[in-house]
Amino acid sequence: MEIKAIRGFNDILPDEIGKWQFVEETAREIFEGFGFSEIRIPVIERTELFSRGIGEATDIVEKEMYTFTDRSGHSLTLRPEATASIVRAYLEHQIYTFDPVAKLYFIGPMFRYERPQKGRYRQFYQIDAEVFGVENPMVDAEVVLMLIHFLKKVGLENLELQINSLGCRNCRPRYREELKKFLEKKSFQLCEDCQRRLQTNPLRIFDCKVETCQEAIADAPKVMDFICDECQKHFDKVKEYLKMGGLDFILNPRMVRGLDYYTRTAFEVVSYQLGSQNAVTGGGRYDNLFKDIGGLDVPGIGFAIGMERLISLLPKDKEFTQYPHLFIAALGEENSKKAYELINQLHLHGIRAELDYEGKSLKSQMRRANKLRAQYVLILGEEELRRGKAVLRNMESKSQEEIPMRDLLNTLKTRILHD
Ligand code: ATP
Ligand code: MG
């Protein structure tokens, strides 16, 4: 029986990898320019970290976690998101003793047991950035600014930045009650999941994709009308700083984000090119998560970008694959040895070169050079060898020149690397 990959788990093949590398390199460059350092966290954590951190009444914890018992009977979970682990690492290694302000980013795969479909997988990659230890709304805006700068830098267009304020522990409970009262009158319209959410976490109903639920919630009270003065002040400042940074945004009172730990600022960037799985990235402030996980009172803010969705939006006309600089077509035993010697030198000098290992005819070697999309072909023929020359063919312009075998390496280096 043929063994295939598990549904929802993808291979990323060499013809696509250029896009991934480009996105990751750009993220590293930009985030580090904004003063962020990379952190790498384990793939598996104790289940408790996520159930406590993300919240029992969220989709992730209720039905999407890959949880299993290991051989010692511990309940472990494949990480469904990065924030809880990064918070744990900050507390565990007491990073705050060096500087209470930490700016960290992370790139890697996440695991959620969801129904696989376009833009939704069971293993998917995220780029994640977090700032710990700053309450000032200036940092909310700075993080969003960095995010938008990054998305534009990789070439995304027609993005919409949506923001909302979710209030805090002081003001959100009252909103929750109002929302619950409102929806109880319409509970017959709600799907089975939302009937349950109405009791456990009514804010989650905003995220439901079922049409009747969307209708039920259409004129529900808005969280923004219930936030306290402190939250209002914070939100006004965020908007002011975003404008100072030259960013356009829209207020979306229905965007409540899936995770329990968010407080105050929440944001999403959506692309209308993506269809129903349209959120490229989401994030927000979480001023209670630290207390829930480890007892310390540290404010935080961050975002997570879905890499698959981001990559599907990259400009179609941009070239991400690297093709060989040079293909060496050698004819005859002696030339083949020369080709071997030369290719090793070329590789040491950073020139992407290929050769034919099977002693094929010139015609078939040229075909392969074409297929590999080599920029140049160096032909080492018997006749040329006798004259101490080789032929260099530019595959794009189709022009050829004879070059002396002596000093071949330097000639090729100047031609190729200074092209
Ligand atoms: P959605 O509403 O689409 O389920 P989410 O609120 O669960 O998103 P977050 O937990 O905020 O998503 O994760 C941040 C980003 O990760 C999302 O905006 C999305 O781009 C991406 N993402 C989330 N779940 C998946 C998945 N199963 N497959 C691919 N990408 C995903
Ligand atoms: Mg989700």
Side-chain angles (χ1 to χ4, degrees):
M1 199 182 65
E2 200 183 344
I3 300 176
K4 299 223 168 117
I6 310 166
R7 211 160 92 85
F9 289 73
N10 300 316
D11 297 307
I12 302 163
L13 301 176
D15 65 338
E16 303 164 88
I17 205 72
K19 295 181 183 173
W20 289 77
Q21 291 172 336
F22 163 72
V23 168
E24 289 170 2
E25 274 158 27
T26 310
R28 289 203 160 86
E29 191 185 306
I30 288 176
F31 294 2
E32 285 177 20
F34 273 76
F36 284 67
S37 308
E38 183 170 356
I39 181 167
R40 301 199 186 183
I41 48 171
V43 168
I44 300 176
E45 300 266 8
R46 290 195 185 273
T47 303
E48 217 188 327
L49 173 68
F50 303 117
S51 48
R52 234 198 293 160
I54 300 172
E56 297 281 358
T58 57
D59 279 1
I60 293 182
V61 174
E62 267 180 354
K63 51 186 188 194
E64 295 174 359
M65 293 209 299
Y66 271 93
T67 297
F68 62 96
T69 310
D70 76 357
R71 290 173 194 275
S72 333
H74 299 302
S75 178
L76 305 180
T77 296
L78 292 181
R79 62 181 182 217
E81 57 110 52
T83 309
S85 300
I86 300 177
V87 167
R88 180 204 43 72
Y90 175 87
L91 294 170
E92 183 171 340
H93 305 286
Q94 302 176 347
I95 295 178
Y96 49 84
T97 54
F98 170 68
D99 186 347
V101 179
K103 297 182 179 178
L104 302 163
Y105 74 91
F106 168 80
I107 304 176
M110 301 299 159
F111 304 85
R112 293 185 196 173
Y113 194 83
E114 296 196 74
R115 193 170 70 78
Q117 54 192 289
K118 190 170 174 292
R120 197 173 287 289
Y121 310 101
R122 290 183 169 177
Q123 173 175 336
F124 62 98
Y125 286 75
Q126 284 188 341
I127 300 177
D128 191 275
E130 314 285 345
V131 179
F132 298 156
V134 187
E135 209 164 347
N136 193 330
M138 198 182 273
V139 95
D140 302 37
E142 202 183 316
V143 161
V144 174
L145 233 61
M146 175 172 89
L147 170 64
I148 301 291
H149 178 57
F150 164 72
L151 294 174
K152 286 190 176 154
K153 190 89 176 186
V154 294
L156 264 56
E157 282 168 3
N158 303 323
L159 299 171
E160 186 176 278
L161 168 64
Q162 305 185 348
I163 62 168
N164 193 16
S165 174
L166 304 180
C168 63
R169 278 215 169 143
N170 301 327
C171 52
R172 197 155 67 204
R174 193 162 77 80
Y175 172 67
R176 235 175 104 121
E177 277 318 301
E178 286 298 318
L179 182 64
K180 201 168 153 204
K181 252 194 267 165
F182 174 87
L183 286 170
E184 263 161 1
K185 282 183 259 157
K186 304 187 168 219
S187 75
F188 61 92
Q189 251 178 287
L190 300 176
C191 71
E192 215 173 293
D193 275 344
C194 286
Q195 303 261 357
R196 188 173 34 80
R197 287 173 184 143
L198 187 54
Q199 301 312 319
T200 55
N201 190 354
L203 269 76
R204 301 279 304 114
I205 298 175
F206 281 105
D207 273 346
C208 184
K209 305 251 152 59
V210 178
E211 210 173 305
T212 51
C213 298
Q214 281 303 317
E215 282 163 16
I217 205 133
D219 4 271
K222 299 186 172 84
V223 58
M224 248 187 274
D225 296 333
F226 287 80
I227 60 177
C228 59
D229 286 351
E230 285 301 298
C231 288
Q232 186 63 55
K233 249 188 253 157
H234 187 96
F235 196 45
D236 290 341
K237 285 276 180 210
V238 174
K239 289 186 280 186
E240 187 186 330
Y241 287 127
L242 286 176
K243 282 185 196 142
M244 278 172 68
L247 288 192
D248 290 327
F249 52 84
I250 68 157
L251 300 180
N252 179 359
R254 297 173 186 290
M255 190 251 300
V256 299
R257 308 280 310 128
L259 315 181
D260 264 4
Y261 55 58
Y262 286 115
T263 52
R264 294 191 168 169
T265 318
F267 53 90
E268 270 184 11
V269 177
V270 302
S271 160
Y272 290 104
Q273 282 160 265
L274 278 177
S276 58
Q277 258 55 266
N278 67 4
V280 188
T281 161
R285 179 169 275 284
Y286 41 90
D287 292 344
N288 301 320
L289 178 61
F290 276 85
K291 271 177 280 175
D292 293 345
I293 289 178
L296 266 195
D297 190 3
V298 182
I301 180 159
F303 60 76
I305 305 169
M307 279 186 80
E308 285 80 358
R309 293 184 201 177
L310 169 64
I311 280 167
S312 74
L313 291 172
L314 291 179
K316 298 284 176 274
D317 52 355
K318 198 173 152 147
E319 187 62 75
F320 294 97
T321 312
Q322 290 207 319
Y323 301 107
H325 291 115
L326 181 73
F327 186 93
I328 308 178
L331 295 165
E333 183 103 358
E334 197 159 329
N335 278 326
S336 169
K337 276 189 196 152
K338 280 209 157 44
Y340 172 72
E341 224 167 27
L342 179 63
I343 205 166
N344 287 332
Q345 286 303 314
L346 291 169
H347 285 158
L348 294 178
H349 286 86
I351 293 176
R352 293 189 299 277
E354 288 289 332
L355 52 70
D356 158 58
Y357 296 100
E358 302 178 34
K360 293 239 172 83
S361 71
L362 180 61
K363 203 168 152 200
S364 107
Q365 294 196 45
M366 292 304 284
R367 247 200 320 265
R368 179 143 180 263
N370 235 328
K371 195 172 73 184
L372 297 176
R373 298 176 64 171
Q375 205 179 338
Y376 288 95
V377 177
L378 182 75
I379 304 166
L380 302 178
E382 318 242 4
E383 152 70 20
E384 287 85 0
L385 179 69
R386 240 169 284 136
R387 289 193 287 119
K389 304 264 176 162
V391 175
L392 184 66
R393 181 178 170 87
N394 182 322
M395 296 296 275
E396 202 189 330
S397 69
K398 310 261 189 278
S399 61
Q400 292 196 169
E401 58 173 324
E402 281 201 342
I403 53 177
M405 289 292 278
R406 252 182 310 105
D407 220 18
L408 205 49
L409 179 65
N410 278 323
T411 314
L412 291 172
K413 266 172 60 186
T414 8
R415 286 286 190 295
I416 291 169
L417 296 179
H418 304 287
D419 228 4

